[in-house]
Amino acid sequence: WIWLVLLPFALVNKFAEFGVGTWWEDKPQPVLVFAMLFIGFIFSSIEDIAVQIEEPFGVLPLQLHQRWLVEDAEQMKAMNGFVDGVR
């Protein structure tokens, strides 16, 4: 996050001369804002993917699924005992 906060200060010199010699030279140039939004979105997405790859079981709600599987297994055992008792 620190990198994304400090990035505009590094890019302001690069984008300061972006419109020199063009017809929009005297108009406001929101290029830096759009560049920061795009770069921030890309890097935040990469960070999220990295967290999910690093700890895939830490971010998934596996305890809920485990509880459902245990309940289903118990229901199948109960149904198997019922079917065996009918025969």
Side-chain angles (χ1 to χ4, degrees):
W1 291 106
I2 294 173
W3 189 84
L4 286 176
V5 170
L6 296 177
L7 185 62
F9 299 108
L11 292 180
V12 76
N13 288 334
K14 294 288 183 187
F15 286 105
E17 300 176 2
F18 182 74
V20 175
T22 61
W23 62 271
W24 66 80
E25 184 173 9
D26 58 337
K27 300 189 179 32
Q29 299 174 12
V31 177
L32 181 61
V33 174
F34 291 125
M36 283 303 307
L37 288 173
F38 179 73
I39 292 170
F41 177 74
I42 296 298
F43 276 95
S44 297
S45 299
I46 291 171
E47 174 68 21
D48 188 41
I49 292 169
V51 166
Q52 290 182 6
I53 289 174
E54 183 179 350
E55 294 185 32
F57 302 113
V59 295
L60 296 175
L62 294 180
Q63 292 174 346
L64 180 64
H65 294 291
Q66 187 263 344
R67 189 172 357 115
W68 289 342
L69 286 172
V70 168
E71 289 174 6
D72 286 344
E74 289 172 356
Q75 287 178 357
M76 290 176 70
K77 283 182 184 179
M79 185 61 83
N80 192 15
F82 176 74
V83 170
D84 287 342
V86 170
R87 290 182 188 177

